């Protein structure tokens, strides 16, 4: 990855954090409210994000030919196996317990919501333990 | 310069908006979520946004699965007196 691409990553991350904050998804209370059917805003945010991302994924490669900064577009296909589903079930259990998923755990710190550091440390430890003691390290595959 | 980033003062920013979710739920839930996200190769962002937007069936199944367990656990926690 070129150094200038890191700036694009930084800008993308900042925009993602801005969106999570302005949509109030950085608040565990809001997320838990969704999971308890008190506030369906999360569905609107997720649905909108999927639509925007779908348009970019579907049409940008054809329209642009190659990315602005790198040699080619990549993909990261999901695999369907036992770990995908079992892992998702475990992830959901943790998410439902604390109302924090990885994105808001990081971006919520920008709002001065310091207890989220506890969730972030937990996320990092859980990820470490999974990779260290349970199963192979997931490999990201570049596009052919 | 500081005025731009912290218009209400640094002290006010540091005071922030603190979540009322119980302190034990954050690291324990985070640990479980981190474990599962790595095992599943994705989370709400990876499977939820990127996976669904690229029309990947494994991601759709993952999203349906983690939404289900999250809703169940969130209700159980509430019923047991948690936040």
């Amino acid at each position: 990855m070129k150094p200038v691409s890191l700036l694009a990553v930084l800008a993308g991350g900042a925009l993602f954090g801005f969106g999570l904050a302005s949509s109030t998804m950085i608040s565990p209370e809001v997320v838990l409210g969704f999971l308890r059917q008190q506030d369906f805003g999360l569905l609107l945010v997720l649905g909108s994000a999927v639509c925007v991302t779908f348009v970019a994924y579907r049409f940008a490669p054809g329209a642009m030919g190659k990315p602005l900064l790198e040699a080619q577009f990549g993909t990261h296909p999901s695999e369907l196996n036992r770990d995908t589903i079992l892992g998702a079930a475990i992830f959901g259990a943790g998410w439902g317990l604390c109302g924090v998923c990885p994105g808001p755990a990081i971006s919520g710190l920008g709002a001065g919501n310091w207890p989220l550091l506890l969730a972030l440390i937990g996320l990092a430890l859980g990820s470490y333990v999974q990779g260290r003691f349970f199963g192979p390290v997931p490999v990201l595959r570049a596009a052919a | 310069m500081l005025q731009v980033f912290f218009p209400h003062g640094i002290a006010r920013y540091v005071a922030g908006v603190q979540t009322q979710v119980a302190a034990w739920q954050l690291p324990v839930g985070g640990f479980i979520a981190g474990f599962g996200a790595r095992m599943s190769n994705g989370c709400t962002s990876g499977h939820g946004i990127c996976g669904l937007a690229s029309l990947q069936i494994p991601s759709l199944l993952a999203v349906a699965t983690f939404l289900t367990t999250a809703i169940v656990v969130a209700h159980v926690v509430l019923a047991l007196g948690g936040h």
Side-chain angles (χ1 to χ4, degrees), chain A residues 53-67:
Chain A
T53 309
F54 170 79
V55 169
Y57 281 2
R58 177 71 183 74
F59 298 108
M64 298 171 65
K66 67 190 279 295

mmCIF file with all atom_site columns, all heavy atoms in Angstrom, chain A residues 53-67:
data_model
loop_
_atom_site.group_PDB
_atom_site.id
_atom_site.type_symbol
_atom_site.label_atom_id
_atom_site.label_alt_id
_atom_site.label_comp_id
_atom_site.label_asym_id
_atom_site.label_entity_id
_atom_site.label_seq_id
_atom_site.pdbx_PDB_ins_code
_atom_site.Cartn_x
_atom_site.Cartn_y
_atom_site.Cartn_z
_atom_site.occupancy
_atom_site.B_iso_or_equiv
_atom_site.pdbx_formal_charge
_atom_site.auth_seq_id
_atom_site.auth_comp_id
_atom_site.auth_asym_id
_atom_site.auth_atom_id
_atom_site.pdbx_PDB_model_num
ATOM 1   N N   . THR A 1 53 ? -22.844 1.582  0.095   1.00 0.00 ? 53 THR A N   1
ATOM 2   C CA  . THR A 1 53 ? -21.696 0.716  -0.169  1.00 0.00 ? 53 THR A CA  1
ATOM 3   C C   . THR A 1 53 ? -21.960 -0.189 -1.366  1.00 0.00 ? 53 THR A C   1
ATOM 4   O O   . THR A 1 53 ? -21.066 -0.439 -2.185  1.00 0.00 ? 53 THR A O   1
ATOM 5   C CB  . THR A 1 53 ? -21.382 -0.127 1.084   1.00 0.00 ? 53 THR A CB  1
ATOM 6   O OG1 . THR A 1 53 ? -21.292 0.737  2.213   1.00 0.00 ? 53 THR A OG1 1
ATOM 7   C CG2 . THR A 1 53 ? -20.070 -0.872 0.919   1.00 0.00 ? 53 THR A CG2 1
ATOM 8   N N   . PHE A 1 54 ? -23.209 -0.657 -1.475  1.00 0.00 ? 54 PHE A N   1
ATOM 9   C CA  . PHE A 1 54 ? -23.570 -1.499 -2.615  1.00 0.00 ? 54 PHE A CA  1
ATOM 10  C C   . PHE A 1 54 ? -23.330 -0.758 -3.928  1.00 0.00 ? 54 PHE A C   1
ATOM 11  O O   . PHE A 1 54 ? -22.735 -1.301 -4.867  1.00 0.00 ? 54 PHE A O   1
ATOM 12  C CB  . PHE A 1 54 ? -25.032 -1.933 -2.528  1.00 0.00 ? 54 PHE A CB  1
ATOM 13  C CG  . PHE A 1 54 ? -25.532 -2.601 -3.783  1.00 0.00 ? 54 PHE A CG  1
ATOM 14  C CD1 . PHE A 1 54 ? -25.229 -3.928 -4.051  1.00 0.00 ? 54 PHE A CD1 1
ATOM 15  C CD2 . PHE A 1 54 ? -26.294 -1.890 -4.702  1.00 0.00 ? 54 PHE A CD2 1
ATOM 16  C CE1 . PHE A 1 54 ? -25.670 -4.542 -5.214  1.00 0.00 ? 54 PHE A CE1 1
ATOM 17  C CE2 . PHE A 1 54 ? -26.741 -2.492 -5.867  1.00 0.00 ? 54 PHE A CE2 1
ATOM 18  C CZ  . PHE A 1 54 ? -26.429 -3.819 -6.127  1.00 0.00 ? 54 PHE A CZ  1
ATOM 19  N N   . VAL A 1 55 ? -23.784 0.484  -3.999  1.00 0.00 ? 55 VAL A N   1
ATOM 20  C CA  . VAL A 1 55 ? -23.614 1.268  -5.230  1.00 0.00 ? 55 VAL A CA  1
ATOM 21  C C   . VAL A 1 55 ? -22.124 1.432  -5.557  1.00 0.00 ? 55 VAL A C   1
ATOM 22  O O   . VAL A 1 55 ? -21.700 1.261  -6.699  1.00 0.00 ? 55 VAL A O   1
ATOM 23  C CB  . VAL A 1 55 ? -24.289 2.658  -5.092  1.00 0.00 ? 55 VAL A CB  1
ATOM 24  C CG1 . VAL A 1 55 ? -23.903 3.577  -6.237  1.00 0.00 ? 55 VAL A CG1 1
ATOM 25  C CG2 . VAL A 1 55 ? -25.809 2.491  -5.034  1.00 0.00 ? 55 VAL A CG2 1
ATOM 26  N N   . ALA A 1 56 ? -21.335 1.714  -4.522  1.00 0.00 ? 56 ALA A N   1
ATOM 27  C CA  . ALA A 1 56 ? -19.893 1.893  -4.744  1.00 0.00 ? 56 ALA A CA  1
ATOM 28  C C   . ALA A 1 56 ? -19.250 0.594  -5.220  1.00 0.00 ? 56 ALA A C   1
ATOM 29  O O   . ALA A 1 56 ? -18.503 0.583  -6.205  1.00 0.00 ? 56 ALA A O   1
ATOM 30  C CB  . ALA A 1 56 ? -19.228 2.381  -3.458  1.00 0.00 ? 56 ALA A CB  1
ATOM 31  N N   . TYR A 1 57 ? -19.553 -0.504 -4.528  1.00 0.00 ? 57 TYR A N   1
ATOM 32  C CA  . TYR A 1 57 ? -18.952 -1.795 -4.900  1.00 0.00 ? 57 TYR A CA  1
ATOM 33  C C   . TYR A 1 57 ? -19.392 -2.228 -6.298  1.00 0.00 ? 57 TYR A C   1
ATOM 34  O O   . TYR A 1 57 ? -18.623 -2.781 -7.075  1.00 0.00 ? 57 TYR A O   1
ATOM 35  C CB  . TYR A 1 57 ? -19.374 -2.883 -3.902  1.00 0.00 ? 57 TYR A CB  1
ATOM 36  C CG  . TYR A 1 57 ? -18.619 -2.898 -2.597  1.00 0.00 ? 57 TYR A CG  1
ATOM 37  C CD1 . TYR A 1 57 ? -17.630 -1.966 -2.308  1.00 0.00 ? 57 TYR A CD1 1
ATOM 38  C CD2 . TYR A 1 57 ? -18.911 -3.865 -1.636  1.00 0.00 ? 57 TYR A CD2 1
ATOM 39  C CE1 . TYR A 1 57 ? -16.949 -1.996 -1.106  1.00 0.00 ? 57 TYR A CE1 1
ATOM 40  C CE2 . TYR A 1 57 ? -18.230 -3.912 -0.427  1.00 0.00 ? 57 TYR A CE2 1
ATOM 41  C CZ  . TYR A 1 57 ? -17.256 -2.974 -0.165  1.00 0.00 ? 57 TYR A CZ  1
ATOM 42  O OH  . TYR A 1 57 ? -16.596 -3.019 1.020   1.00 0.00 ? 57 TYR A OH  1
ATOM 43  N N   . ARG A 1 58 ? -20.661 -1.973 -6.602  1.00 0.00 ? 58 ARG A N   1
ATOM 44  C CA  . ARG A 1 58 ? -21.244 -2.508 -7.828  1.00 0.00 ? 58 ARG A CA  1
ATOM 45  C C   . ARG A 1 58 ? -20.797 -1.700 -9.051  1.00 0.00 ? 58 ARG A C   1
ATOM 46  O O   . ARG A 1 58 ? -20.546 -2.265 -10.110 1.00 0.00 ? 58 ARG A O   1
ATOM 47  C CB  . ARG A 1 58 ? -22.772 -2.482 -7.698  1.00 0.00 ? 58 ARG A CB  1
ATOM 48  C CG  . ARG A 1 58 ? -23.565 -2.945 -8.910  1.00 0.00 ? 58 ARG A CG  1
ATOM 49  C CD  . ARG A 1 58 ? -23.444 -4.448 -9.096  1.00 0.00 ? 58 ARG A CD  1
ATOM 50  N NE  . ARG A 1 58 ? -24.138 -4.889 -10.306 1.00 0.00 ? 58 ARG A NE  1
ATOM 51  C CZ  . ARG A 1 58 ? -23.707 -4.702 -11.538 1.00 0.00 ? 58 ARG A CZ  1
ATOM 52  N NH1 . ARG A 1 58 ? -22.579 -4.052 -11.731 1.00 0.00 ? 58 ARG A NH1 1
ATOM 53  N NH2 . ARG A 1 58 ? -24.403 -5.155 -12.562 1.00 0.00 ? 58 ARG A NH2 1
ATOM 54  N N   . PHE A 1 59 ? -20.716 -0.388 -8.905  1.00 0.00 ? 59 PHE A N   1
ATOM 55  C CA  . PHE A 1 59 ? -20.510 0.447  -10.089 1.00 0.00 ? 59 PHE A CA  1
ATOM 56  C C   . PHE A 1 59 ? -19.139 1.114  -10.181 1.00 0.00 ? 59 PHE A C   1
ATOM 57  O O   . PHE A 1 59 ? -18.687 1.426  -11.277 1.00 0.00 ? 59 PHE A O   1
ATOM 58  C CB  . PHE A 1 59 ? -21.603 1.515  -10.169 1.00 0.00 ? 59 PHE A CB  1
ATOM 59  C CG  . PHE A 1 59 ? -22.978 0.927  -10.318 1.00 0.00 ? 59 PHE A CG  1
ATOM 60  C CD1 . PHE A 1 59 ? -23.880 0.954  -9.261  1.00 0.00 ? 59 PHE A CD1 1
ATOM 61  C CD2 . PHE A 1 59 ? -23.363 0.319  -11.504 1.00 0.00 ? 59 PHE A CD2 1
ATOM 62  C CE1 . PHE A 1 59 ? -25.152 0.387  -9.384  1.00 0.00 ? 59 PHE A CE1 1
ATOM 63  C CE2 . PHE A 1 59 ? -24.626 -0.238 -11.637 1.00 0.00 ? 59 PHE A CE2 1
ATOM 64  C CZ  . PHE A 1 59 ? -25.518 -0.206 -10.584 1.00 0.00 ? 59 PHE A CZ  1
ATOM 65  N N   . ALA A 1 60 ? -18.482 1.348  -9.035  1.00 0.00 ? 60 ALA A N   1
ATOM 66  C CA  . ALA A 1 60 ? -17.204 2.075  -9.095  1.00 0.00 ? 60 ALA A CA  1
ATOM 67  C C   . ALA A 1 60 ? -16.132 1.336  -9.903  1.00 0.00 ? 60 ALA A C   1
ATOM 68  O O   . ALA A 1 60 ? -15.473 1.960  -10.746 1.00 0.00 ? 60 ALA A O   1
ATOM 69  C CB  . ALA A 1 60 ? -16.699 2.391  -7.690  1.00 0.00 ? 60 ALA A CB  1
ATOM 70  N N   . PRO A 1 61 ? -15.938 0.035  -9.712  1.00 0.00 ? 61 PRO A N   1
ATOM 71  C CA  . PRO A 1 61 ? -14.881 -0.640 -10.477 1.00 0.00 ? 61 PRO A CA  1
ATOM 72  C C   . PRO A 1 61 ? -15.103 -0.538 -11.986 1.00 0.00 ? 61 PRO A C   1
ATOM 73  O O   . PRO A 1 61 ? -14.164 -0.262 -12.737 1.00 0.00 ? 61 PRO A O   1
ATOM 74  C CB  . PRO A 1 61 ? -14.964 -2.093 -9.994  1.00 0.00 ? 61 PRO A CB  1
ATOM 75  C CG  . PRO A 1 61 ? -15.546 -1.996 -8.627  1.00 0.00 ? 61 PRO A CG  1
ATOM 76  C CD  . PRO A 1 61 ? -16.548 -0.864 -8.723  1.00 0.00 ? 61 PRO A CD  1
ATOM 77  N N   . GLY A 1 62 ? -16.341 -0.722 -12.433 1.00 0.00 ? 62 GLY A N   1
ATOM 78  C CA  . GLY A 1 62 ? -16.626 -0.634 -13.866 1.00 0.00 ? 62 GLY A CA  1
ATOM 79  C C   . GLY A 1 62 ? -16.440 0.776  -14.401 1.00 0.00 ? 62 GLY A C   1
ATOM 80  O O   . GLY A 1 62 ? -15.886 0.979  -15.494 1.00 0.00 ? 62 GLY A O   1
ATOM 81  N N   . ALA A 1 63 ? -16.888 1.754  -13.613 1.00 0.00 ? 63 ALA A N   1
ATOM 82  C CA  . ALA A 1 63 ? -16.831 3.130  -14.084 1.00 0.00 ? 63 ALA A CA  1
ATOM 83  C C   . ALA A 1 63 ? -15.410 3.686  -14.046 1.00 0.00 ? 63 ALA A C   1
ATOM 84  O O   . ALA A 1 63 ? -15.025 4.487  -14.900 1.00 0.00 ? 63 ALA A O   1
ATOM 85  C CB  . ALA A 1 63 ? -17.746 3.998  -13.210 1.00 0.00 ? 63 ALA A CB  1
ATOM 86  N N   . MET A 1 64 ? -14.625 3.232  -13.071 1.00 0.00 ? 64 MET A N   1
ATOM 87  C CA  . MET A 1 64 ? -13.295 3.819  -12.898 1.00 0.00 ? 64 MET A CA  1
ATOM 88  C C   . MET A 1 64 ? -12.187 3.009  -13.566 1.00 0.00 ? 64 MET A C   1
ATOM 89  O O   . MET A 1 64 ? -11.122 3.536  -13.878 1.00 0.00 ? 64 MET A O   1
ATOM 90  C CB  . MET A 1 64 ? -12.977 3.958  -11.396 1.00 0.00 ? 64 MET A CB  1
ATOM 91  C CG  . MET A 1 64 ? -13.923 4.873  -10.649 1.00 0.00 ? 64 MET A CG  1
ATOM 92  S SD  . MET A 1 64 ? -13.683 4.802  -8.854  1.00 0.00 ? 64 MET A SD  1
ATOM 93  C CE  . MET A 1 64 ? -12.043 5.482  -8.705  1.00 0.00 ? 64 MET A CE  1
ATOM 94  N N   . GLY A 1 65 ? -12.412 1.717  -13.780 1.00 0.00 ? 65 GLY A N   1
ATOM 95  C CA  . GLY A 1 65 ? -11.362 0.877  -14.350 1.00 0.00 ? 65 GLY A CA  1
ATOM 96  C C   . GLY A 1 65 ? -10.364 0.444  -13.299 1.00 0.00 ? 65 GLY A C   1
ATOM 97  O O   . GLY A 1 65 ? -10.253 -0.735 -12.978 1.00 0.00 ? 65 GLY A O   1
ATOM 98  N N   . LYS A 1 66 ? -9.625  1.399  -12.772 1.00 0.00 ? 66 LYS A N   1
ATOM 99  C CA  . LYS A 1 66 ? -8.723  1.089  -11.661 1.00 0.00 ? 66 LYS A CA  1
ATOM 100 C C   . LYS A 1 66 ? -8.866  2.144  -10.575 1.00 0.00 ? 66 LYS A C   1
ATOM 101 O O   . LYS A 1 66 ? -9.316  3.265  -10.857 1.00 0.00 ? 66 LYS A O   1
ATOM 102 C CB  . LYS A 1 66 ? -7.276  0.964  -12.136 1.00 0.00 ? 66 LYS A CB  1
ATOM 103 C CG  . LYS A 1 66 ? -6.656  2.266  -12.630 1.00 0.00 ? 66 LYS A CG  1
ATOM 104 C CD  . LYS A 1 66 ? -5.311  2.027  -13.311 1.00 0.00 ? 66 LYS A CD  1
ATOM 105 C CE  . LYS A 1 66 ? -4.145  1.861  -12.352 1.00 0.00 ? 66 LYS A CE  1
ATOM 106 N NZ  . LYS A 1 66 ? -3.813  3.041  -11.541 1.00 0.00 ? 66 LYS A NZ  1
ATOM 107 N N   . PRO A 1 67 ? -8.487  1.782  -9.349  1.00 0.00 ? 67 PRO A N   1
ATOM 108 C CA  . PRO A 1 67 ? -8.615  2.746  -8.247  1.00 0.00 ? 67 PRO A CA  1
ATOM 109 C C   . PRO A 1 67 ? -7.733  3.971  -8.470  1.00 0.00 ? 67 PRO A C   1
ATOM 110 O O   . PRO A 1 67 ? -6.776  3.920  -9.244  1.00 0.00 ? 67 PRO A O   1
ATOM 111 C CB  . PRO A 1 67 ? -8.136  1.964  -7.020  1.00 0.00 ? 67 PRO A CB  1
ATOM 112 C CG  . PRO A 1 67 ? -8.133  0.541  -7.426  1.00 0.00 ? 67 PRO A CG  1
ATOM 113 C CD  . PRO A 1 67 ? -7.945  0.499  -8.897  1.00 0.00 ? 67 PRO A CD  1
#
